[in-house]
Each structure stands twice: as C-alpha cells, then as structure tokens.
Amino acid sequence: MREQTAPEIPGWLRFVLVCDRAGSAWYIGTGFFFAPVLAIVSPWPTVTAVCWVIIGLAGLWLGLLGIAMATGLAIVLRSNTQIPEDYWRSIIDYPPSSRPGVTTRPDSRPASV
C-alpha cells in the first residue's frame, strides 16, 4: 500500500476567512451609517443611486467571499483533513490554547462541578 500524506489547508482560505469576518462586521456597522445617509440624500436620486451601488458592491464582495469560503472548506472536508482548533483561534484573534480541551478563561470550571 502507498502511504498518503494529508494535504494541507489551502493558504488562501485563511485570507478569505479573515476578510469575510472583517467584511461582515464592517458591512453591518456601516449599515447604521447608511440608513440615515439614505434618508438625508433621498431628494437627490443620483446620490441615492450611488449609495445603493456602493451597498450592492459591498454585498456582492461578501457573497463572493462566502462562495470562496465554502469552496475552501469543501476542499478541506473532501480531503478528510481536520482543521485544528488553533487555526480557528488564530482567525478570530484568540490566544492559542496551551493544552487541548483546556479553556483560557480564568473563571471557567469543568462541567462536572
């Protein structure tokens, strides 16, 4: 039998996951900004249309990131590779865990307590 090595997680997947996370937060945050702006500029149809185009392009970019993210995760799933917890923690800026299964929260107790 031939020994197979597990393929690595695609390098571009980290970029896509980080951009999707940051872009989603940005998109929701600017939604609070664009709502009053759209109300203020509603008398000017050209300016309103430009605002909607900006909103639409940002939404399209997030949609494309979502497709790329689904593709990358499907590649990892198809290769039967498990993404380690430290990989996920590095994307959301958590400190790496010192031991598997041990939380880094100071007030945490085991579930059996």
Side-chain angles (χ1 to χ4, degrees):
M1 249 191 227
R2 214 169 86 185
E3 183 180 327
Q4 285 187 337
T5 60
E8 291 186 14
I9 299 168
W12 53 268
L13 183 59
R14 175 181 300 281
F15 172 77
V16 168
L17 290 169
V18 169
C19 285
D20 185 64
R21 179 175 181 266
S24 296
W26 175 86
Y27 193 75
I28 292 169
T30 56
F32 293 108
F33 167 74
F34 267 111
V37 168
L38 285 171
I40 291 170
V41 301
S42 63
W44 300 284
T46 307
V47 177
T48 304
V50 168
C51 287
W52 279 115
V53 166
I54 291 169
I55 293 168
L57 289 174
L60 178 65
W61 172 247
L62 284 175
L64 293 173
L65 283 173
I67 291 170
M69 180 174 51
T71 303
L73 292 174
I75 290 170
V76 172
L77 182 64
R78 186 174 170 114
S79 68
N80 204 18
T81 303
Q82 185 174 2
I83 298 176
E85 183 180 350
D86 288 339
Y87 184 85
W88 294 112
R89 287 178 169 270
S90 70
I91 290 172
I92 54 177
D93 297 331
Y94 280 147
S97 61
S98 57
R99 290 182 288 167
V102 175
T103 182
T104 57
R105 287 191 264 156
D107 300 347
S108 181
R109 296 184 306 201
S112 62
V113 174

